[in-house]
Amino acid sequence: KAFISTLGNFEGADLANMPVWNFVADAIPAEASYADAMTYVSVIDVVADPDAKVPAAQAEAIRTKLVALANGAKTALLATKIDETDEAKLKKATDARDMSAKRLDGRLDYLNGAYAKNQLLGHPCPKIDFEWSSGDLNLKSIEDLKGKVVVLDFWATWCGPCVGSFPQVRDL
């Protein structure tokens, strides 16, 4: 587990030629607690990074083991009996358990998504429909931009640096 936790420290290294990937796959247990599963699942961020150049077979073996681990942790979490007689405490404990299960669902969606499966670069763009577009373009979907370079900028109104980047993004 400590090795998995520190895997992110290899960022920028030539990981493709390191014989660690089989070790990483072997280090992932068949079962883990919720907290441990969340730690293990985070290894996909390193494994799926195109710059890491993890061989496809090892990356898929690791991803598959992480999916099984997260599914098992969620099943175990939801099967946990909450022994509480106080109704308010029972509701709080049940809500916390359900929130943890939702977090695992989110990680499972991520593990089963295009990034974790290394299907972003060199693969077709996923279907994206627009509710509106600015200017005279009247765009309805990403298909309307086929053959053009597309930059998607994700931002939030509360993010100062995001808002500050608008002039540069607009100039693109």
Side-chain angles (χ1 to χ4, degrees):
K1 183 175 158 193
F3 175 79
I4 299 289
S5 299
T6 60
L7 193 55
N9 295 335
F10 290 101
E11 187 173 332
D14 181 14
L15 299 175
N17 295 315
M18 294 178 75
V20 300
W21 299 114
N22 289 333
F23 173 74
V24 171
D26 291 344
I28 299 168
E31 296 177 354
S33 67
Y34 164 78
D36 287 348
M38 292 298 278
T39 299
Y40 282 107
V41 167
S42 67
V43 78
I44 199 65
D45 294 326
V46 175
V47 172
D49 185 341
D51 292 335
K53 298 181 179 108
V54 178
Q58 282 92 345
E60 182 57 19
I62 292 167
R63 189 193 70 77
T64 301
K65 285 190 83 172
L66 292 172
V67 168
L69 178 70
N71 273 321
K74 180 183 172 191
T75 299
L77 180 70
L78 292 175
T80 303
K81 184 174 181 338
I82 300 174
D83 290 326
E84 185 58 62
T85 55
D86 181 271
E87 210 169 299
K89 289 180 182 178
L90 176 62
K91 180 172 178 10
K92 186 176 180 179
T94 303
D95 289 348
R97 181 197 63 200
D98 293 347
M99 180 59 71
S100 295
K102 284 184 182 181
R103 285 188 186 111
L104 280 167
D105 281 339
R107 295 308 289 171
L108 282 162
D109 288 346
Y110 185 66
L111 285 168
N112 288 313
Y115 179 76
K117 291 181 176 182
N118 199 14
Q119 295 175 338
L120 293 181
L121 299 177
H123 290 76
C125 177
K127 184 177 177 0
I128 301 174
D129 292 325
F130 304 117
E131 290 187 24
W132 62 270
S133 65
S134 61
D136 297 330
L137 298 176
N138 197 23
L139 301 173
K140 298 296 180 198
S141 76
I142 198 75
E143 287 294 315
D144 295 336
L145 297 168
K146 190 170 186 163
K148 300 189 184 306
V149 174
V150 177
V151 175
L152 296 177
D153 183 24
F154 296 92
W155 54 275
T157 56
W158 49 260
C159 175
C162 299
V163 174
S165 73
F166 286 174
Q168 293 86 5
V169 172
R170 191 181 344 254
D171 289 345
L172 290 174

